[in-house]
Amino acid sequence: VTLNADNITVNNVVSKDGNLSFFNSSGSEKMRITAGGNVGIGTSSPGATLDVEGSANISQGLNVSGGLIVSTGNVGIGTTLPTSALDVVGTINATAVRTGMLNVTGTSYLGGVTLNADNITVNNVVSKDGNLSFFNSSGSEKMRIVQNGNVGIGTRSPGATLDVEGSANISQGLNVSGG
């Protein structure tokens, strides 16, 4: 049966094999609704409620409940050529991130990063302003390593290799060499 109309209303469709299939003008099946209710686009045997074989363009957002599973390949946000499992080009705003490995490449600034771990290994740290600062939980800077390598405790401008602003307790002795 071939229908050629602007509007078609169908109240009940019964097929010979229990599936409803849609074909293009060349006779190739393009979509199927199975007897079990699964919809397949580009596949004649959909294995899920919606099974799309090929790419899909979604212009108004995609809401996923119950989790998103990508069984093969890489996921790209802001890129059409992702090179890792999750490849994000642009700004990430996250309230919590749990990862086995965080790899940041290029010029990046991880402002406000809180690390809570028993062991942290860092191969290379480059800060936005050339200084590496350490803050307490209320946001007060407590220690700084500046570009030339000087360490300041209680000061933002250390004038010596170690510059302590305030008192220091040394329990095992102090060795001074070189004057």
Side-chain angles (χ1 to χ4, degrees):
V1 173
T2 300
L3 300 174
N4 188 1
D6 292 333
N7 294 302
I8 299 172
T9 301
V10 178
N11 293 326
N12 190 11
V13 175
V14 178
S15 69
K16 185 168 77 171
D17 62 358
N19 299 314
L20 178 60
S21 299
F22 298 84
F23 298 85
N24 65 9
S25 60
S26 314
S28 297
E29 183 176 330
K30 295 300 178 182
M31 186 172 89
R32 175 180 289 213
I33 303 172
T34 67
N38 289 350
V39 176
I41 300 173
T43 177
S44 60
S45 54
T49 304
L50 176 61
D51 193 342
V52 178
E53 184 71 32
S55 61
N57 292 324
I58 300 170
S59 62
Q60 296 298 313
L62 175 64
N63 294 318
V64 178
S65 62
L68 177 63
I69 299 169
V70 179
S71 59
T72 60
N74 297 328
V75 175
I77 299 174
T79 178
T80 57
L81 299 171
T83 58
S84 58
L86 176 60
D87 193 342
V88 179
V89 174
T91 301
I92 299 172
N93 184 10
T95 57
V97 176
R98 184 173 184 171
T99 178
M101 181 180 151
L102 177 62
N103 183 12
V104 179
T105 59
T107 303
S108 300
Y109 171 61
L110 297 174
V113 172
T114 301
L115 301 174
N116 184 1
D118 293 332
N119 297 299
I120 299 172
T121 302
V122 179
N123 293 328
N124 187 17
V125 175
V126 179
S127 69
K128 184 177 178 183
D129 63 359
N131 301 315
L132 182 59
S133 300
F134 298 84
F135 297 84
N136 66 9
S137 60
S138 60
S140 297
E141 184 176 320
K142 296 301 176 182
M143 185 174 85
R144 174 181 287 222
I145 303 171
V146 295
Q147 289 177 342
N148 66 4
N150 288 353
V151 177
I153 299 174
T155 178
R156 295 174 57 99
S157 306
T161 303
L162 177 61
D163 192 343
V164 178
E165 182 75 28
S167 61
N169 292 323
I170 300 171
S171 62
Q172 296 297 318
L174 174 64
N175 295 319
V176 179
S177 63

